[in-house]
Amino acid sequence: MSAKLKVGIVGGTGMVGQRFVDLLDQHPWFEVTAISASANSAGKTYEESVQGRWKLAVPIPEAVKKIVVQDASQVEAFASQVDFIFCAVDMKKNEIQALEEAYARTGTPVVSNNSAHRWTADVPMVIPEINPGHLDVIEAQRKRLGTKTGFIAVKPNCSIQSYVPALHALREFKPTQVVASTYQAISGAGKNFTDWPDMLDNVIPYIGGEEEKSEQEPLRIWGSIENNEIVKASAPLITTQCIRVPVTDGHLATVFVNFEKKPSKDEILERWLQFKGRPQELALPSAPKQFITYFEEENRPQTKLDRDIERGMGVSTGRLREDSLYDYKFVGLSHNTLRGAAGGAVLIAELLKAEGYIQPK
C-alpha cells in the first residue's frame, strides 16, 4: 500500500465520531487529516472541542489533538482536503440527506453512519460480509448525482448486527419467520452512565424508531438490485422488540426462527463456524477472522465478557436449541459502537477501497 488515503470525519466530536478517531489511529490504509462539526466547535482544536465530553476509555490519539475543527457546512472547502469522508452527524433527516449529497457531488465518497439515506433507492446499505454486491448500484447513484467519483454508502442499524449475520449464514434453509428481542446498550443513544444516570438500575422498554428499523432493514440487506435500485426481500417476516438496558456497550438479541427447510442443530453450527464473506477473502484490516463465534456454555455469550470478540468486530451466538413454537431459538451479541457503528463503517470503507470505489483524488 502506498501513501495512506486522507480521511475527513464529519461530525467528529460526537460519540461515534470519537470512535472513528480512535479506530483510524494507526490504520494501515487511512489517515485522519481533517475533522468537522457544528459551527460551535469550528475554530477549536479537536482536543479543545471534546474537552469534558470525551466518552471513550482510551485517551484522545495524539495525531488528532491539534487538528483544527472545521464547520461541517462548508462542504467544498472541507471536501477539497480529503479523499473521502465518514459522516456521523446529529441533525434532522432532511438536513443529513442534503449534506451527504452535497459532499458526494464534490466527487467525494461518503461512508455514512447516519440513517438518513438507508432507504434511498440507489444508496447501498451494507454489512460487508453479507451484501457486498449492493455496491454495484453506486454507478447509477453517481449518474443521478452528476459525479464520476462521489457517492454515498451507509451502514445499517446497530440493533440488527447481533442476529442478521447468524440468520444470513442459514439462508439456504430459507428462514420464514423471525421473532427477535434486542437488549441494547446506552452507548447506542450516545450516552454513558455519567450523562444518563436515570439508566442506572433501570430498563426502558422503548427505543424510538428502533423496532421498525430492526424489522425492515434486514429485508433491504437481503434485497436485490432491479432497474438500478435496491428492492427489499419479501421474506422472512420479522417482528421485534427493542429494549434499553443498563449496559455500557453491546447489543444482545434473543431470536426465535422458523425455516422452510428445517436444518439440524449440527448443520446450523457448521454453517456458523464456516461462514466467511468478502472481507475475510480480502483479508481487510478490520475484518474479523472468525465472523461468527458459537459458545457451548449455557450462560454465554455475555455482554461484558464477549462484546469485544475479534476486536469488537465479530458476532457471538449461543444457547441454540429447538423450541416448542419455533424450529429453533438462540442468543446473539454484537458490539454496537464497533461492529454496529464506527467499526462497521470503517470495514465498509476498506471494502470500497479494495474494490476500487475509493481512490486518491
Side-chain angles (χ1 to χ4, degrees):
M1 182 66 65
S2 56
K4 294 182 181 182
L5 291 171
K6 294 180 289 186
V7 179
I9 303 174
V10 178
T13 59
M15 177 176 271
V16 176
Q18 293 176 20
R19 275 288 187 194
F20 278 125
V21 165
D22 175 54
L23 289 172
L24 295 170
D25 187 39
Q26 308 299 319
H27 191 281
W29 295 2
F30 307 144
E31 180 181 5
V32 177
T33 59
I35 299 172
S36 68
S38 67
N40 292 333
S41 295
K44 302 175 184 177
T45 66
Y46 186 72
E47 185 176 26
E48 291 169 342
S49 70
V50 298
Q51 188 171 10
R53 56 194 186 103
W54 179 256
K55 296 180 182 292
L56 306 186
V58 295
I60 303 169
E62 290 294 329
V64 302
K65 282 184 176 180
K66 302 306 179 186
I67 290 178
V68 176
V69 177
Q70 301 174 52
D71 186 339
S73 67
Q74 302 300 306
V75 173
E76 292 280 353
F78 190 75
S80 68
Q81 304 168 51
V82 297
D83 295 314
F84 75 98
I85 68 168
F86 290 108
C87 191
V89 294
D90 184 10
M91 299 164 60
K92 294 178 181 178
K93 178 179 178 179
N94 64 321
E95 295 173 342
I96 296 172
Q97 288 175 329
L99 183 69
E100 292 182 343
E101 287 198 357
Y103 273 103
R105 285 194 173 99
T106 69
T108 305
V110 177
V111 181
S112 177
N113 189 77
N114 304 303
S115 63
H117 274 294
R118 287 181 190 159
W119 289 93
T120 302
D122 57 10
V123 171
M125 179 173 70
V126 180
I127 296 177
E129 286 89 348
I130 294 177
N131 62 329
H134 283 193
L135 299 181
D136 290 346
V137 81
I138 286 174
E139 183 180 354
Q141 183 197 147
R142 283 171 166 166
K143 289 179 181 177
R144 174 176 65 84
L145 295 175
T147 174
K148 292 184 178 179
T149 55
F151 62 87
I152 304 163
V154 300
K155 179 205 66 63
N157 198 50
C158 55
S159 66
I160 72 173
Q161 314 281 336
S162 54
Y163 59 93
V164 167
L167 292 173
H168 182 76
L170 308 175
R171 290 281 284 172
E172 67 183 279
F173 304 111
K174 298 185 178 179
T176 57
Q177 296 173 310
V178 176
V179 178
S181 292
T182 58
Y183 302 85
Q184 301 186 202
I186 62 173
S187 57
K191 305 283 188 179
N192 57 31
F193 288 118
T194 300
D195 50 26
W196 201 1
D198 290 348
M199 274 307 304
L200 286 166
D201 191 29
N202 195 19
V203 168
I204 298 176
Y206 174 73
I207 306 173
E210 203 77 355
E211 287 163 2
E212 181 181 5
K213 295 173 186 175
S214 299
E215 293 169 358
Q216 294 300 315
E217 289 187 13
L219 299 178
R220 190 168 198 261
I221 287 168
W222 287 322
S224 58
I225 298 175
E226 299 176 20
N227 298 318
N228 295 321
E229 295 183 350
I230 297 168
V231 177
K232 74 176 187 178
S234 58
L237 178 65
I238 304 172
T239 184
T240 66
Q241 292 196 100
C242 298
I243 298 169
R244 189 73 71 192
V245 294
V247 167
T248 53
D249 296 302
H251 288 355
L252 185 141
T254 59
V255 184
F256 299 79
V257 57
N258 277 331
F259 296 94
E260 186 176 310
K261 300 182 292 184
K262 182 180 177 180
S264 69
K265 182 176 179 179
D266 286 343
E267 285 177 319
I268 293 175
L269 294 177
E270 192 270 338
R271 298 308 188 276
W272 285 349
L273 176 66
Q274 299 299 327
F275 183 76
K276 290 177 170 50
R278 192 74 175 132
Q280 287 72 37
E281 293 171 4
L282 295 169
L284 299 179
S286 298
K289 288 184 172 62
Q290 182 64 44
F291 185 29
I292 302 172
T293 296
Y294 182 77
F295 285 96
E296 296 285 353
E297 297 91 333
E298 291 184 347
N299 64 347
R300 304 282 287 278
Q302 291 182 27
T303 305
K304 189 173 183 179
L305 295 180
D306 303 314
R307 61 192 169 202
D308 291 319
I309 197 164
E310 294 278 354
R311 298 163 295 144
M313 293 297 289
V315 173
S316 302
T317 55
R319 300 204 68 207
L320 175 66
R321 60 227 191 269
E322 292 190 74
D323 182 64
S324 56
L325 292 178
Y326 290 81
D327 288 336
Y328 286 97
K329 53 190 172 185
F330 65 90
V331 174
L333 173 67
S334 63
H335 196 302
N336 58 298
T337 67
L338 292 173
R339 166 56 73 165
V346 171
L347 186 60
I348 292 170
E350 292 171 357
L351 177 64
L352 289 162
K353 162 62 179 170
E355 302 288 17
Y357 289 95
I358 297 178
Q359 298 180 6
K361 284 185 177 177

